[in-house]
Structures are given as structure tokens and as C-alpha cells.
Amino acid sequence: MSAEPRINDRIRVPEVRLVGPNGEQVGIVPIAKALELARESDLDLVEVAPTARPPVAKLMDYGKFKYESAMKAREARKNQAHTVIKEIKLRPKIDPHDYETKKGHVVRFLKAGDKVKVTIMFRGREQSRPELGRRLLQRLADDVEELGFVESRPKQDGRNMIMVIGPHKKKTARGQEESGTA
């Protein structure tokens, strides 16, 4: 079945509960009379509730209805928050400068409002010391505490240890301006 509602001659039931163009209840009428009323008022007969007994049909301009519903859907998509997950990979024996660089990337991602998946990759004997990875992830979480929070605690996944850091709720532009001028 398609997601489109059935219109005009595609409605194959003997009678429908008819709703007028302004939302007024006309009543239960035979399909032939409903189609005749639609033609007279230069509108389409659109089945709005096909599962009801009898099905509910409304007199409306179908092209306009489709356009308005597409515009509503586009507006809803525009207002959605797009959460992107960025990934940073580390090793347990990371150089201090390399750690600062990776931390800078995490800070940049969190400021942009993205989630960050931090992965520590263990090799060889490092796998027997997961506490090193846990300590490193905790240090990173403490360093970026003012920008984000730990969404999922560090957990071992085979040779990797994974933690997700999410950004704090974004401040409004006015709130940032006030804190910048004070």
C-alpha cells in the first residue's frame, strides 16, 4: 500500500462519511453522490481515514493539500537537531603533545555541538592493562568537563575501549554575548 491517500475514483467503497471543504459534517453518503458533490464544487474527494467504518472522506483541493503537507515536513526537518558523532582514536601510550592535539580536536567537536566517540586501541600486551585506557579516558573527560559530559562510560569492546562524550546544551547567542561583555 502507498502512503498517499486515495482520491476521487480510486475510493472503492459503497459509502463514506463526508466532511465538507470547511470542516462541516455532511454525513454518510453514497460514493457516487460524494463524487458528484466534489465535481460540482471543483474539489477532490480525499479519503482521510481509510480504516474508519465507513471511511472518512473530505472535499478539498488535493494539490494544495499535498503542497502544504510537503512544506510542513520540510519545516519540521529544518528544525531538527542533526547530531553527528565524530570519532577520535588514541593509544594507551600516547605522547603528551599528541594527547593535547587530540584533546584539541575533541574540544573543537564539542564546541561545534557534535558528539565525540573516543576509542582507545590496545595492541599486544597492552590488552592486559585496560586500567591504562580507563585512566586516559577519565583524564580526557575531566579536561573537557566544561564543554561536554560523558554520555556512555568507558567500556571494553574487544581490543578497543570506547567512551562517548556529548556536548552540553548550547547556550543562546544572547547568553554568550552577555557573558562576553561582563
Side-chain angles (χ1 to χ4, degrees):
M1 268 197 79
S2 72
E4 298 278 319
R6 292 186 291 193
I7 61 170
N8 297 332
D9 296 326
R10 293 197 178 123
I11 302 173
R12 300 268 184 231
V13 291
E15 57 185 21
V16 293
R17 182 178 303 275
L18 188 62
V19 178
N22 299 321
E24 71 277 0
Q25 294 285 332
V26 176
I28 297 174
V29 296
I31 191 70
K33 184 167 191 260
L35 285 169
E36 186 182 314
L37 286 171
R39 279 192 208 99
E40 285 174 5
S41 56
D42 200 28
L43 294 171
D44 297 307
L45 183 67
V46 181
E47 193 175 42
V48 291
T51 57
R53 288 290 156 240
V56 179
K58 184 174 182 182
L59 294 173
M60 66 171 78
D61 182 354
Y62 184 65
K64 183 178 176 185
F65 167 74
K66 244 180 114 169
Y67 173 76
E68 286 173 353
S69 63
M71 294 310 289
K72 282 181 191 171
R74 182 185 293 165
E75 198 64 34
R77 277 196 307 272
K78 191 169 78 171
N79 293 334
Q80 278 181 343
H82 299 288
T83 55
V84 179
I85 297 181
K86 303 282 189 169
E87 185 171 14
I88 293 286
K89 293 189 174 189
L90 306 168
R91 296 284 316 281
K93 297 178 184 171
I94 190 168
D95 184 68
H97 181 265
D98 293 340
Y99 171 79
E100 290 299 322
T101 304
K102 296 286 188 174
K103 184 180 87 172
H105 294 318
V106 172
V107 166
R108 187 179 73 221
F109 294 149
L110 289 173
K111 281 184 178 175
D114 298 329
K115 290 182 182 182
V116 183
K117 177 180 173 184
V118 185
T119 304
I120 295 190
M121 302 174 293
F122 294 100
R123 281 203 209 135
R125 291 186 196 165
E126 293 172 349
Q127 289 178 339
S128 64
R129 303 277 310 274
E131 68 275 0
L132 290 176
R134 200 167 273 111
R135 222 178 298 143
L136 184 61
L137 288 174
Q138 189 57 49
R139 177 176 154 206
L140 181 64
D142 292 342
D143 288 348
V144 296
E145 194 173 22
E146 67 277 354
L147 296 171
F149 64 97
V150 177
E151 224 171 71
S152 72
R153 309 259 9 121
K155 60 178 172 276
Q156 191 81 27
D157 182 25
R159 291 175 168 246
N160 299 329
M161 186 174 282
I162 298 168
M163 175 177 79
V164 178
I165 301 174
H168 289 305
K169 299 290 179 215
K170 286 190 173 183
K171 297 176 185 173
T172 59
R174 189 174 61 223
Q176 290 176 342
E177 289 170 8
E178 289 172 3
S179 64
T181 58

